Amino acid sequence: MRRGWIVGMLIGTVLVLVGWTPLMRAFLQDFVLVVDASGSRQTPKNYRGAKLAGQDLRGQDLEGADLRSADLRGTNLRGAHLSGANFQGANLEGADLSTAILENADLRGASLVGADLRAADLAGANLSAARLVRADLSAANLTHADLRNADLHGARLDDTLLQQTDLRGLDLARLDLEDTDASAARVR
């Protein structure tokens, strides 16, 4: 009986390690410092194609991270620092990005269906062709953002800043822009 228990524990440990290895590898990259040509220390943040669905990454510093094609469905990124991060083609469906800093982030073609972007700072972000269906952008800052051809069907835009935002290709008749500041936005 004791031998069976030990074998069971070993098999269980192996299964846990196999499942957690890709996730651990992705996060361990943040603890490995590299020195660039100028001699400054930098933390590599390459999560391209990473499977991080449902993870708790709130408040993390992922500035400039490569998250292209990453699976971030349902991930908690509340208050995370994501300035300049590349989310091209990433799946952020149902993710919590409320109060996150996404200045100049590249979200081209990303899926943000049902995402929570309340009070997020998306100033200068590229959201062209992004799917923001039923996303909550209440009180978000989209100043100078590029929303060309984005899908905002059913999105909440209460008190959203759209100053000098590129809205070309959007079906503005389907959007409720009553409580938004869209001064000098490009619509044609």
Side-chain angles (χ1 to χ4, degrees), residues 107-112 127-132 148-152:
L107 292 142
R108 286 179 288 170
S111 181
L112 293 138
L127 291 145
S128 60
R131 294 191 62 228
L132 292 150
R148 284 178 295 162
N149 301 308
D151 186 355
L152 289 161

Side-chain angles (χ1 to χ4, degrees), residues 118-140:
R118 289 175 294 156
D121 187 354
L122 291 146
N126 188 341
L127 291 145
S128 60
R131 294 191 62 228
L132 292 150
V133 176
R134 296 180 315 279
D136 190 347
L137 292 152
S138 301

Side-chain angles (χ1 to χ4, degrees), residues 169-186:
L170 293 182
D171 185 0
L172 297 177
R174 299 177 94 188
L175 298 178
D176 180 9
L177 299 175
E178 186 175 326
D179 295 326
T180 61
D181 182 355
S183 55
R186 293 184 69 182

Side-chain angles (χ1 to χ4, degrees), residues 72-76 91-97 111-116:
L72 296 155
R73 288 173 293 148
T75 298
N76 184 352
N91 187 346
L92 291 146
E93 293 179 10
D96 183 354
L97 291 151
S111 181
L112 293 138
V113 174
D116 184 352

Side-chain angles (χ1 to χ4, degrees), residues 140 142-143 157-165 167 177-185:
L142 288 158
T143 303
L157 297 166
D158 305 331
D159 299 317
T160 302
L161 288 174
L162 295 170
Q163 296 173 339
Q164 299 182 4
T165 301
L167 302 173
L177 299 175
E178 186 175 326
D179 295 326
T180 61
D181 182 355
S183 55

